[in-house]
Amino acid sequence: MSDTSTIARGGGHRASASARRAKPPRRPSGLPLRFVPYALLLPGLLVIAVLLLYPLYQMVDMSFHKVGLRQIRPRNPLPAEFVGADNYTAALQSDLFGVSVRNTVIFAVVTVALTLILGTLVGLLLHKLGPKMSTTVIVGTMAAWAVPPTSAAVVWKWLFDADAGVVNWFLNMLPDWFSQLVFGRAEWAGVPWLNDPLDIYFVLVVTVVWASFPFIGVSILAGLKSIPSELYEAARVDGSTAFQTFRKITFPLLRPVFSVLVVLSIIWDFKVFTQLFILAGGTNMPREAFNFSVWSYIEAFSPPPDMGLGSAIAVVLTVILLLITFVYVRQIVKTEDVR
Amino acid sequence: MNPKTRRKLGKFGLNAAGIAVFLFAIFPVYWMITAAFKPNDQLNSTTFIPFPMPPTLEHVERAFTKGINGNSIWTYMMNSVIVSVSTIIIGAVFALLAATAVARFRFRFRTSFLILLLIVQMVPSEALLIPLFLNVRQMGLYNELLGLIVINVGLTLPFSVWMLRTFVAAVPKELEEASWIDGASRFTTFWRVLFPLVAPGLVATSIFSFITAWNEFVFALTLIEDSDKFTMPRALSFFVGQRSTDWGGIMAASTLMTIPVLIFFLLVQRRMVSGLVAGAVKG
């Protein structure tokens, strides 16, 4: 650390001017200070512009053009012809539109709700458990969190396998009268779980909730730990009930964490692709099981490729997503330090 | 019921709930790993066999020798390592610079930039697939690992900056000011003062990026054609489609893909939790 003892370079004669403002000491010279943040930001901004913003523009642009096989072939591609809103009309009139809206929205709502409820409960639980038990549960949930989505889908696909799956084995173990009463069937060997869209989505919800509740739980735990214990002591001295303490201390202080978790969950669950793609059997999956991501992918990349239509679907997906999360962005802007 | 028994019962209930959560989380992982070592007749059995008796290495061996589609699973592991490690190294530089800018300076467009980060995070990467596919092909990066690296840097950057800025902001400004008073240059201050203190945050952020890149499936599915350039997720999905009933082989491949991330996660879990706390507390 020899540098720290050398004399300030260049900043000496300006020191008196800044001292009057009683502001932080003047920084060493170099690039004029007001340009520093822009210089630091430039590389990242370029990456975002080239890899995210420009493609976004291209996607919107393509959605108004006919972009088929002949337009994207490497040798003498035809110029993409402007077709106005034709791609959107085609998407809206397709019977897959309703299917995709239904699958995407219901899946997101159900999964986000379940993940947040389970995750929050686990966070509260971890906070209450003794140190050993808490560490054990954290390590266990970390394992679920760590499993890559592809692996998770493959494993749950196997757990729900008709013949060798553990789920059917477990359901077979249940007393017949109980099984008959609740599910309307007693014999489970060979019952397929991944043929019918509704069943596929049931398995998908389980898979995604399983993989994502640990993150919520650990984040809630971190939030709870960051609340100073003095606040709780003060509340106890003042005779606050458990509910009052939760409402007046825990909840308000956790709100910033919670709103971030809601946004992230929505973003992740709305565009689920990998797990659905693998669980439902890849490009050959039943069309009734499409969501927006998969539908857009299949239109754009399955022969014959129609990238205009694929882009139009992707635009619709993006717009819905932005509308849903707009209100949460406002929440974050209010609570987080963005100003 | 006297308060003491009630407290004991409550504690028992909490521990039971803890065990239930633990089992729900760990069972699929346990089942996957044990399956990789189960002989075929035990895999296809309709009874519950909790542990491979006796364990076999045939599936793991087959993954390395016969492999998937003619390539040893080693090829796919190396491809995944190349893509993920390159992504975090390149991404860390960009993210640290941008996070320092937004956490340390007040400037015009700062709020706009942060909102931009939030919004681009929300754009589904699946939606960018079509234009990025065409751009990557035009740049001659189709079917190249470099194409995947470039795209993964783009996909992970907004979240990295968003996460890292709280770590940078958590470092007391006074430390940097003390360094300036002592005459350190801007770079020295950054490298000797800010960087060591932000390093844990950078590790946590890099872990998220690593996992995103290691797990990335959609672009690997679309941008890579030759099977010797497949990453692990792509190879696994190919395997499932090709030999859908070879659960032993599939689980062996899946375990091999999961183990590195799992070890990584468990090693840093303490730091990750404390890192999240540090990120959540605003000084």
Side-chain angles (χ1 to χ4, degrees):
Chain A
M1 297 296 271
S2 59
D3 329 37
T4 51
S5 60
T6 53
I7 291 169
R9 278 180 280 149
H13 61 286
R14 284 175 296 179
S16 59
S18 68
R20 223 178 303 139
R21 278 185 281 137
K23 278 277 172 189
R26 186 161 286 280
R27 293 157 175 81
S29 68
L31 192 68
L33 186 64
R34 63 200 170 96
F35 295 130
V36 171
Y38 299 107
L40 291 172
L41 217 51
L42 192 66
L45 208 53
L46 270 177
V47 169
I48 291 176
V50 171
L51 288 170
L52 302 171
L53 295 179
Y54 181 62
L56 210 55
Y57 158 76
Q58 286 177 297
M59 172 183 75
V60 176
D61 186 55
M62 256 194 278
S63 73
F64 293 108
H65 289 84
K66 180 177 165 48
V67 189
L69 198 56
R70 267 180 263 177
Q71 284 76 24
I72 60 164
R73 65 184 170 199
R75 276 162 200 279
N76 352 298
L78 291 179
E81 182 196 339
F82 182 80
V83 291
D86 280 7
N87 287 321
Y88 289 94
T89 326
L92 278 169
Q93 281 169 353
S94 163
D95 49 339
L96 290 174
F97 185 81
V99 167
S100 303
V101 171
R102 185 193 66 198
N103 288 343
T104 308
V105 172
I106 295 181
F107 171 77
V109 169
V110 171
T111 312
V112 168
L114 286 177
T115 311
L116 284 172
I117 292 169
L118 183 63
T120 307
L121 288 176
V122 169
L124 292 167
L125 178 71
L126 288 172
H127 197 49
K128 292 247 168 165
L129 287 174
K132 264 189 202 148
M133 193 66 194
S134 165
T135 310
T136 314
V137 177
I138 288 178
V139 169
T141 54
M142 285 275 171
W145 181 10
V147 173
T150 333
S151 280
V154 165
V155 172
W156 283 100
K157 195 181 169 96
W158 183 42
L159 292 172
F160 278 97
D161 188 64
D163 300 309
V166 169
V167 173
N168 276 351
W169 167 84
F170 177 78
L171 289 168
N172 245 346
M173 283 288 108
L174 296 174
D176 281 0
W177 63 267
F178 179 80
S179 196
Q180 194 76 47
L181 192 73
V182 180
F183 307 105
R185 84 159 70 231
E187 182 54 42
W188 286 92
V191 173
W193 281 96
L194 294 162
N195 287 353
D196 180 50
L198 194 64
D199 291 340
I200 292 175
Y201 272 88
F202 173 75
V203 178
L204 186 64
V205 167
V206 175
T207 308
V208 173
V209 169
W210 172 76
S212 39
F213 85 89
F215 172 66
I216 311 288
V218 170
S219 304
I220 293 283
L221 175 67
L224 287 169
K225 277 188 176 166
S226 74
I227 299 174
S229 56
E230 288 86 354
L231 290 178
Y232 288 112
E233 278 161 32
R236 207 175 54 226
V237 171
D238 291 346
S240 157
T241 65
F243 179 71
Q244 279 174 323
T245 310
F246 181 82
R247 215 176 63 98
K248 299 271 183 190
I249 298 177
T250 313
F251 185 69
L253 287 171
L254 276 188
R255 228 164 78 174
V257 178
F258 210 74
S259 46
V260 174
L261 295 179
V262 171
V263 183
L264 291 176
S265 298
I266 291 179
I267 296 167
W268 290 333
D269 293 343
F270 216 87
K271 56 173 197 183
V272 62
F273 179 94
T274 306
Q275 294 95 326
L276 176 60
F277 191 79
I278 290 172
L279 282 173
T283 26
N284 301 321
M285 75 166 81
R287 294 160 66 86
E288 284 287 304
F290 280 8
N291 69 359
F292 270 109
S293 306
V294 170
W295 185 27
S296 162
Y297 173 83
I298 301 250
E299 291 293 358
F301 293 101
S302 279
D306 187 345
M307 299 211 161
L309 180 57
S311 297
I313 299 162
V315 169
V316 175
L317 168 65
T318 310
V319 168
I320 295 177
L321 202 53
L322 288 178
L323 285 179
I324 291 177
T325 43
F326 172 74
V327 61
Y328 291 105
V329 174
R330 271 185 41 183
Q331 175 69 25
I332 291 202
V333 170
K334 258 191 273 172
T335 52
E336 286 256 321
D337 168 39
V338 293
R339 261 175 264 277
Chain B
M1 210 188 297
N2 70 41
K4 209 172 160 192
T5 2
R6 202 157 65 188
R7 212 172 320 133
K8 257 192 184 156
L9 260 178
K11 206 168 172 211
F12 178 78
L14 284 177
N15 281 331
I19 290 169
V21 171
F22 177 79
L23 288 179
F24 171 62
I26 205 90
F27 179 74
V29 184
Y30 170 80
W31 206 238
M32 170 181 80
I33 296 172
T34 48
F37 301 102
K38 274 182 190 166
N40 272 325
D41 55 324
Q42 291 178 27
L43 281 169
N44 297 318
S45 158
T46 44
T47 51
F48 184 78
I49 298 165
F51 198 78
M53 290 297 280
T56 169
L57 279 175
E58 59 170 308
H59 304 303
V60 179
E61 222 178 276
R62 205 168 63 236
F64 277 101
T65 53
K66 194 168 166 242
I68 302 168
N69 204 31
N71 297 303
S72 162
I73 202 156
W74 190 245
T75 313
Y76 307 122
M77 297 268 274
M78 282 327 289
N79 289 342
S80 273
V81 168
I82 292 169
V83 170
S84 325
V85 171
S86 313
T87 301
I88 61 170
I89 292 172
I90 301 169
V93 177
F94 287 113
L96 190 57
L97 294 178
T100 309
V102 290
R104 273 291 179 266
F105 297 89
R106 294 286 177 273
F107 54 94
R108 266 190 88 185
F109 308 121
R110 180 175 171 275
T111 309
S112 322
F113 178 72
L114 285 169
I115 292 174
L116 175 75
L117 282 185
L118 270 180
I119 292 174
V120 293
Q121 263 187 80
M122 245 164 267
V123 174
S125 58
E126 287 79 358
L128 301 172
L129 192 61
I130 300 167
L132 283 175
F133 164 79
L134 293 174
N135 297 349
V136 160
R137 211 182 54 168
Q138 201 170 22
M139 290 195 302
L141 293 177
Y142 178 70
N143 206 16
E144 298 288 343
L145 291 181
L146 184 59
L148 280 186
I149 294 169
V150 169
I151 282 175
N152 275 308
V153 169
L155 293 183
T156 52
L157 190 65
F159 186 67
S160 298
V161 177
W162 184 256
M163 188 171 162
L164 201 55
R165 91 201 151 93
T166 50
F167 289 103
V168 177
V171 176
K173 216 173 179 174
E174 288 76 14
L175 290 178
E176 279 163 64
E177 285 163 7
S179 165
W180 291 324
I181 290 171
D182 289 347
S185 72
R186 214 174 261 154
F187 178 76
T188 308
T189 306
F190 178 80
W191 187 244
R192 291 279 177 89
V193 180
L194 187 63
F195 182 76
L197 290 165
V198 175
L202 201 57
V203 169
T205 312
S206 296
I207 288 170
F208 275 102
S209 304
F210 177 88
I211 291 164
T212 309
W214 181 266
N215 295 350
E216 201 288 314
F217 174 70
V218 191
F219 286 96
L221 174 72
T222 323
L223 299 183
I224 302 292
E225 196 179 351
D226 295 346
S227 67
D228 62 340
K229 285 180 184 153
F230 281 178
T231 54
M232 280 297 280
R234 179 72 184 90
L236 185 65
S237 82
F238 185 86
F239 197 15
V240 177
Q242 193 189 35
R243 296 217 304 274
S244 59
T245 50
D246 180 8
W247 288 116
I250 292 169
M251 291 301 140
S254 178
T255 303
L256 287 169
M257 169 161 90
T258 307
I259 292 283
V261 190
L262 206 61
I263 294 172
F264 206 22
F265 247 78
L266 295 180
L267 280 180
V268 296
Q269 62 101 354
R270 208 170 279 273
R271 174 166 281 181
M272 240 165 118
V273 176
S274 67
L276 282 163
V277 182
V281 180
K282 287 192 289 252

